[in-house]
Structures are given as C-alpha cells and as structure tokens.
Amino acid sequence: MRRFLVLLPPFAWLLALVAAPVAILAGIALSQGAPGVPPFLPPVSLAAGWQGTLENILTLVQDGYYAGSFLRSLVVAGVSAALCLGLAYPVALGIAAAREGWRVPLLAMVLLPFWTGFLPRLGAWIGLLRDGGWVNGVLTGLGVTAGPLPLLYSDAAMYLGMVHAYLPFAVLPLTATLLRRDLAVEEAAADLGASPWVVFRTVTLPLSLPGAAAAFLLVFIPAAGEFVIPELLGPPEALLVGRVLWAEFFQNRDWPLAAALAVALLVLLIAPIRLFQRLDEGGSRRGASPPSRVGGTAADGRRPGVLR
Amino acid sequence: MAEALLRLEGVTKRFGATLALDALSLEVMPGEFVALLGGSGSGKSTLLRIVAGFEAAEAGRVLLQGRDIGALPPHARPVSMVFQSYALFPHLTVFHNVAYGLRRDGVARPEIARRVAEALAMVGLEGFEARKPAQLSGGQRQRVALVRSLVKRPPLLLLDEPLGALDAGLRERTGLELRALQRATGAGFVMVTHDQAEALALADRVAVLQEGRLAQYGPPQVLYERPATRHVAEFLGAANILEGRARPDGAVECGAGCLLRPPRAAPAYALRPERIRLVAQAPAEKGVTARLKDLAYRGDGWLAMVALPGGAEWRVALPADAAPPAPGAALSLAWAAESLAPLDA
C-alpha cells in the first residue's frame, strides 16, 4: 500500500502528461478530416459508432513526400549529432583535464548560450548571415566578394544553428563520462609503453564510447523533430518532418495527417530512445567497478555529479 | 661492487607547501627485492611514481642502470609498475591486457602469443585468456596485473601496495608467490607497503620512510633487531621504548627499581617483547620486577601488559606453554644485555 502511494504521483504524472496526450494524438490520427472546430470527426462516437480511418497512416507510407521528409529528418539529425559529437569530444576532454576549480566556469561557458533566448539567438544568426548582414557586409566591404554570398537559407546555416543549439547536450554526457574515468588505467597504458596518442586511441577513446553514444543520441533524438531551426535558417527545400507537420497542422488544417506524422515520428524515435536508456543503465553499472583517483568519483558505485 | 640497478640521488618533491620527499637517496641492486615501508604521507608512493615517471622530481637524479631517466616520459622508461587498483584495461580480455605492452614494443604476433601464454602459465591462469577483468576474482586480477608488467621483462618492477586489495587469507600466499616470481625472473622489485610484516617477510632490504626521509635502510633482521630510531622501532612491530637518565658509571636509570647497562649511551633504547624472559629472580641491570596488568592470548603465546614500579608500561611476550600468571602477580623479568637496541632519535 505504501509502495502504491509512493508510485502514484509519478504514474499519475506520466498518465496525464505523456500517455493521455499520446492517446489523444493517436485518436486524431485515426479520424477523418471534416470542416468545423476541431477540424475532424472523432474516430468513435455514440451516434455513429466507428467512423475512423487508416487513411492518414497509409498516406504517410505511400506518399513519397512524407516518407522523404522522414528520411531527410533522420539524415539532418544524424549529421547534426555527428558534428556536435566531433566538436564536443575535445571540449569535454579539456574540461575533464582542467583543474577542479576551472571545471564549473568552463561548463558554464558551454551552457551560456543555452540560457539566452532560443529565438534571439536564431535572430542573431539571421542578422549575421543574411544578404545585407554582417558577414556579407564585411566580405563585400573588403572587396573579398563582389556581391553577397547566399549564406542564409542554406544547409550550412541550418547545421550551424543545429550545432549551436544542441552542442551542450553532447558536451555534458561526454564530460561526465570522461570525468568518471579511471586515470590509473591510462597511467598503466603509458607505463607499458604507450605514447599519449596511443593511450588515447587504445584506452581513453574505447572506454568513453558509451558516453559518446549517449551524447550522439541526446542530440539526435530532439534534432529529428526540430522545426524552428530548419524553418528560420535552412533552405526552403529542406522539408523536414517538423516543417511538414507544421504545414499540415496550421496551413492545411489537416489535423489527422499532422497527428499521424507526430505519432509516426514518436514510433520512429523509440528505438534510439531505448538504446540511450540501455547505455545510461550500462554507464551507471560500469561506474561501480573501478576505484578512481578522479576528484568526484566514488568507489561505492553511486554516480558522481559532473561538477564536483 | 656491482653497479646499482636503481640509484636515487637527493630526490626532492614538494606538493604545495608539503615536502613529500626531502633529498632522498637510495640504491637498489640488480635482482634485489626492496620494500619501501612507511605510514601514509611518508612519501613512499610519491617515490614510486617519480621512478615510474608519473611525477617529476624537483631536485635530484633517478638513475637506472647508470642512465639518468629523470627526463624520460613514463612510456619511454624501461621500468614497469603494478598499480594498487591493478588498473587492468576493463575493455580488453586477459590475453590483450597481458599483450598490451608487447604490442607497444612492436613484438611479432606469434612471439606475443607465445610470451603471453608463458606468462599466464607462470601464475596459473591458463584458460583465462578470453575473460574480461570483470569476470575475474581479486586474486586473479592481481596476477594478471603482475604478469602484464613482467611479460615485458623489465629490469625493475615497481609494486604499489600489491597485496593491499586482497583479503587476509590470500595475502600471505600471494606474497610468497610474489617472492618466488621475483626469484624466477631475476628482476629487481621495489614494493611500496604500509604493512611491516609483509615488508619483513618478503624483502631483501627494507627502506623505512618517514616524512620524506629515509629513516633506515637495511636487511629486515637488522631493522628489527637494531632499529636506528624510535620511529623505526615502533613501526616494525611492538617495541618497549626505554628512556632514562645516564649515571656517571654508565648505567641508565629507567625508573624505580629499573637499572640498565646498555652497550653504549643513547637517548633511548628499544627492547622487543619477545626478548624478555620470565625468571625466578630479576637480575640487576638486566632485569626488573613488574606487575601484570593484562594478558592477551595470541595463539602462539601470550602478550602480557606489565606495569613497572615507575609507572611505565611494557609489553612482554610469554610462551604458550607457560602457565599464565594471574593479573596483579609480580613478575620477574630479564633480558640479555645485547637485546637493548640504542636509539639515536
């Protein structure tokens, strides 16, 4: 009974804020569109009984426009996550190697852009990259280019925005992993004749792979559904799931199709989310094994905080 | 005189304001097993890390086989180290753990396979090649760590508390195996330990470190029977410390009814509990009468706490076959004059 009372709040929370909205969304996805507010017929009604349809879901599978948008989203998310990982690894390595007093300020610098508004940041990028913006102004002013370069509304601008927005998601788990590592193991490798680069390649890097995978997925999962950044910085042809969904919902007022898109994206991301959870559990179990000389690492298996 | 395998000259190391090593000099001969013994903060682990190259000495030289290796990074030093936590590579199998050093040296694969198999056989770990460290017991991990270093045939092996993580039952046996391995390979061993029994049992010479300085360096018997300082006497097993006022005739008063005739004058003397005998009549200048305060059975004998007339408390080891005296009984104690070890500090 006590157990039940303890478990009640989180389950109530999950039910109200996760399960119920997903159920409503799934219901809309199964319904037919109709003029009116809201613009669909409920799939089941007292008067008419079952009046739902699988048409919306079939459309997603059969129409290359939607399937293509999913594929593009996954590619953009994958490239963004890979870029973030590549940039975050040296940053995390540096933070982990820094003196204890320096770690918090360095992490704060990584997080700083996170604390400024999301839209003003994108606005700043637009101001920098647009035809009459800072970058083009300087380039044409110095005579480097004859006219403005098409910087904004390009893949490059989109990835710039993605990396800028999601980099902290990659830096934090990597820093935690690298701080938790047993430095004695690296010393042992050096002692056995491994140069610093070989120590990194044969010990540090393989042992940090779970953290790197977690960093990749933490960027990949939200990036796959990202709407604002491709919309504001990306090229018009970058029709990602988020943009298509937005268009169906607000422009076409096709709620059932938009809902079907949202549910499909959720289903598509279950696999990477499960993978991330597995890695996370594995990471905490691994943290229990070797005692370490790293500042915040405890030998008793509890997971140390990043900042200690 | 053969050339020293390892020679430390005036090695000094400071951590902030703390002096970890204070101009320490030490020699290890080829094939010698040396124990660095000291309490925490004595500088023994720092010394090991300076030889391995993980810490840089502020002053002084580290010579290996006559060559100054002080400026070499750890991977370029021919010494090898066994870490206290073993520091096995958790992502590699036992085979690849042991092969790691050989691969770094560019040894050919068939040769690596042969030498790894040979090394694992040496410590009875045949058949464990494919296991990961997490699938091994503590004792097995310790042996993998040991042969991972030894397989490279280093002239000098450094061991940081190699038995510290093992439980008591395993320690003695593993210690003897360690010694047998050292004899078999002929490598010089320098082992850091805080366990005096371990140091006395395994080492050819024991270096007692105190506050970054070498308090005494010599064979275990000499350190035990002839400790140079009070610290060494107390660190190496139980010792009764006798202080007293020297009389003009050379005798020393060590309290009421206690008179010593030491071999030479010193500020204090050490007397081991097992050098004291129970006699019918305490002899003058080589004995004393004391009162039994407490008695503890130790299996191989009794440890008696006795109070001297002057108030000092001594420990006396009594043989197991002796009928234990009752608390409060007066005991007549005697010792041989040469059992008194003069202490200089």
Side-chain angles (χ1 to χ4, degrees), chain A residues 185 187-188 190-192 194 202, chain B residues 49 54 75 80-81 91 100 152:
Chain A
V185 175
E187 286 185 343
D191 187 65
L192 292 166
T202 59
Chain B
R49 291 178 62 79
F54 298 125
H75 67 267
S80 199
M81 181 155 161
H91 58 303
Y100 191 90
K152 290 190 69 169

Side-chain angles (χ1 to χ4, degrees), chain A residues 182-196 198-204 206-207 286 289-293, chain B residues 49 52 54 74-77 79-83 85-92 97 100-102 104-105 148-149 152 158:
Chain A
D182 184 2
L183 292 181
V185 175
E186 289 174 21
E187 286 185 343
D191 187 65
L192 292 166
S195 62
V198 175
V199 172
F200 177 77
R201 187 171 56 78
T202 59
V203 179
T204 316
L207 284 177
R286 245 188 311 282
S289 48
S292 164
R293 298 185 303 106
Chain B
R49 291 178 62 79
F54 298 125
H75 67 267
R77 297 190 182 200
V79 302
S80 199
M81 181 155 161
V82 176
F83 289 75
S85 62
Y86 310 145
L88 296 178
F89 306 120
H91 58 303
L92 299 181
N97 263 282
Y100 191 90
L102 297 175
R104 302 286 86 78
D105 289 353
R148 182 178 68 172
S149 290
K152 290 190 69 169
L158 309 169

Side-chain angles (χ1 to χ4, degrees), chain B residues 132-218:
Chain B
K132 291 278 184 73
Q135 296 166 298
L136 299 176
S137 72
Q140 290 167 341
R141 274 181 227 177
Q142 196 257 7
R143 283 179 279 162
V144 173
L146 204 59
V147 294
R148 182 178 68 172
S149 290
L150 278 177
V151 76
K152 290 190 69 169
R153 297 178 190 149
L156 177 65
L157 186 71
L158 309 169
L159 303 110
D160 190 2
E161 304 264 4
L163 309 176
L166 300 177
D167 52 56
L170 214 52
R171 289 180 76 134
E172 197 180 324
R173 214 188 69 200
T174 314
L176 292 174
E177 284 172 6
L178 201 64
R179 200 180 148 85
L181 216 50
Q182 189 259 336
R183 297 277 183 267
T185 56
F189 274 31
V190 174
M191 174 181 81
V192 155
T193 179
H194 64 268
D195 184 331
Q196 48 97 9
E198 206 172 285
L200 293 179
L202 301 180
D204 298 317
R205 278 200 285 176
V206 177
V208 179
L209 266 64
Q210 185 191 8
E211 288 166 4
R213 266 176 253 158
L214 196 58
Q216 196 174 357
Y217 187 31

Side-chain angles (χ1 to χ4, degrees), chain A residues 118-139:
Chain A
F118 180 59
L119 289 174
R121 253 187 301 155
L122 291 180
W125 278 118
I126 293 169
L128 281 169
L129 299 175
R130 70 192 155 88
D131 285 359
W134 277 73
V135 175
N136 274 317
V138 169
L139 286 178

